[in-house]
Amino acid sequence: MGKIYFKDLANYYNQEIELQGFVDKVRDLQYVQFVILRDSSAKVQMTIEKNEENKVLNEIVSDLTKESTLLAKGIIYKQDKVKLRGMEFIPKTIEITSKSEEELPIDILDFNNKSKQDLRLDNRFLDLRLEKNYLIFKGQTIAEMAMREYWLRNDFIEIHSPKILGTASETGAEVFDLEYFGKKVYLAQSPQFYKQMAMGAGFNNVFEIGPVFRAENSHTAYHATEFTSVDCEISWIKSFHEVMDIEEEKLIEVMKKIKNDIGEDYQRIFKKEIAVPQEKFPRINFYDAKKIVQDNYNYVGKKDFDFDRREEELICIYAKKKLNSEFVFVTDYPFEARPFYHMIDPETKLTKSFDLLYKGIEITTGAQREHRIDILEKQALEKDMNLESIDFYLNFFRYGMPPHGGYGFGLTRFLMRLFEVDSIRDVTFLYRGPNRVMP
RNA sequence: GGUCCGGUAGUGUAGUGGUUAACACGCCAGUCUGUCACACUGGAGAUCGCGGGUUCAAGUCCCGUCCGGACCGCCA
């Protein structure tokens, strides 16, 4: 690609080059003009002296508006008196490739009067020009790449399951329905049934990174009606602890890769360190976790079979303080709180399941799946399900199905906690929620 | 879905019944010897979300409505 990224400019000192970027700032003084240019990688100062020779350039710069785009040809010099990276670009020609309107709908400088979230989302194309937002999506790219690398190395197959479904995929969440040639169909709330089908197909191990849709009228900072789910499913397991082993191993790798690739930028922009987990994540079973919260924080959750938000936060505070981990697995949930396909331990009567909590929020639900059709049917009936409507799914189990387990991982929730931003909206390219379907 | 809170120049806020609605940032113009969150001087810019009501008088009080946020529930 021909474009020279601003981060690489030091490689071109004293050479004649072509720059393209956004106008970040214009400082038009009496005898000299400074234009700060910006691309996704860095900023650089362009300097034009005001004189007869530069008359054309001076007029172009006088007329420049912030956030316009331009193409300039000239020479990049090392220049110690410039605080911005100790370099400056002296143009010979400037071409305004797109002129921005004078006043922006949001405060893109974001210096001390941050625009409201709703307005920023309305103008997301401008909001995303902020350096920190670019870094978030760079982090997302690295996270996905690191996961794919891990899976590829460990014999996983990538699948793309359908998002238009003839029946709801039953994770317990609500589904959207839509009109489909006169019939009612549903948007996938999870690839759950289909990644299990891949187990029945003998694919051994599969993963999918893709959109899921939840018709939950949830007004919180950590819910969306459409988000990116990372799913995987593993055959031939003997225990759901193997599923946790794999998630843990993969996540440590992801964190290392993120720290390695964007750790410096992260620290400069967010003023924090990325903490790479050094050892295994603590695993606490459900009832022990309940007791820990009661004993240590004198808090009793409102629900017997699940955690409320406060309990999730307190468990994470405990794990961080006492167990030195930002990640914590909670295991062995009661069947009441779990979908029908989670396997039940005949001794404890609890499910062979887990959640992964990260900095106070649930980012994963996983389990060993019930692969024996008679028990699966019995459990579905216990959850008041209509067996006919899931017959296509039950069919997967009728002709040989390996013991298997897997998990679903909320990519956006993970990113939200990784960057410690206030809202899932900040880590979603274009957020979709109960009250937002535009732009 | 429930509870609470908010909506005032382009942006963020102040304004708790009484002149011409204030401040900061941004914008425009001018001044300024190299700025770097440039500085200085001046200027434009608001039917105070919308509709109704109370009052001599409403940005301010009341009712309705629309939009948004936080927390809870549901979940990743």
Side-chain angles (χ1 to χ4, degrees), chain A residues 172-188:
Chain A
E174 295 294 313
V175 293
F176 289 109
D177 56 49
L178 55 124
E179 212 262 353
Y180 190 79
F181 304 117
K183 276 185 294 193
K184 199 188 214 183
V185 295
Y186 305 89
L187 286 178

Side-chain angles (χ1 to χ4, degrees), chain A residues 139-154:
Chain A
Q140 177 178 278
T141 305
I142 292 161
E144 288 188 36
M145 185 195 65
M147 290 189 270
R148 283 201 165 87
E149 276 176 7
Y150 175 86
W151 283 318
L152 202 61
R153 210 170 56 239
N154 288 283

Side-chain angles (χ1 to χ4, degrees), chain A residues 138-368:
Chain A
K138 198 169 169 182
Q140 177 178 278
T141 305
I142 292 161
E144 288 188 36
M145 185 195 65
M147 290 189 270
R148 283 201 165 87
E149 276 176 7
Y150 175 86
W151 283 318
L152 202 61
R153 210 170 56 239
N154 288 283
D155 302 307
F156 281 71
I157 294 290
E158 180 165 14
I159 60 169
H160 299 290
S161 64
K163 305 306 159 203
I164 299 170
L165 269 47
T167 184
S169 46
E170 269 314 323
T171 63
E174 295 294 313
V175 293
F176 289 109
D177 56 49
L178 55 124
E179 212 262 353
Y180 190 79
F181 304 117
K183 276 185 294 193
K184 199 188 214 183
V185 295
Y186 305 89
L187 286 178
Q189 55 172 192
S190 156
Q192 183 61 37
F193 288 174
Y194 297 103
K195 59 182 184 168
Q196 289 191 260
M197 186 188 108
M199 302 294 96
F203 274 23
N204 296 320
N205 310 314
V206 298
F207 71 92
E208 173 164 5
I209 301 177
V212 294
F213 305 90
R214 303 280 168 94
E216 286 158 354
N217 198 1
S218 301
H219 299 264
T220 76
Y222 46 89
H223 282 87
T225 48
E226 175 178 352
F227 63 92
T228 303
S229 178
V230 175
D231 280 86
C232 81
E233 203 70 23
I234 304 145
S235 282
W236 316 114
I237 60 167
K238 293 192 178 109
S239 159
F240 68 107
H241 282 271
E242 288 175 50
V243 180
M244 281 185 274
D245 292 343
I246 282 169
E247 175 163 34
E248 182 174 80
E249 196 174 42
K250 185 204 72 182
L251 258 179
I252 290 171
E253 220 174 279
V254 166
M255 296 294 286
K256 274 185 190 156
K257 185 80 180 153
I258 288 173
K259 176 145 188 170
N260 182 63
D261 287 11
I262 61 164
E264 277 176 36
D265 287 337
Y266 181 100
Q267 179 153 33
R268 180 173 52 81
I269 296 168
F270 291 93
K271 314 289 179 211
K272 282 174 284 215
E273 282 271 355
I274 295 172
V276 176
Q278 297 302 318
E279 44 197 83
K280 299 199 132 216
F281 308 160
R283 297 178 188 186
I284 307 172
N285 78 49
F286 177 79
Y287 286 111
D288 286 350
K290 281 264 180 198
K291 192 161 186 312
I292 285 168
V293 169
Q294 284 178 30
D295 292 352
N296 288 270
Y297 305 102
N298 197 27
Y299 179 80
V300 180
K302 293 170 196 74
K303 294 176 288 184
D304 290 339
F305 301 120
D306 208 344
F307 295 124
D308 61 29
R309 285 287 304 127
R310 185 77 191 130
E311 283 174 300
E312 287 177 354
E313 281 166 12
L314 291 171
I315 294 160
C316 286
I317 289 169
Y318 176 85
K320 177 92 172 97
K321 270 174 76 176
K322 301 284 173 65
L323 309 170
N324 192 34
S325 179
E326 288 182 332
F327 293 92
V328 55
F329 283 115
V330 177
T331 66
D332 302 273
Y333 282 76
F335 186 61
E336 287 88 337
R338 296 276 140 164
F340 75 96
Y341 51 81
H342 282 199
M343 185 180 274
I344 295 171
D345 186 321
E347 282 179 29
T348 61
K349 309 289 180 206
L350 300 171
T351 55
K352 298 183 175 184
S353 70
F354 64 91
D355 275 7
L356 178 62
L357 309 184
Y358 176 42
K359 294 185 188 173
I361 198 160
E362 179 186 334
I363 60 168
T364 283
T365 292
Q368 176 160 6

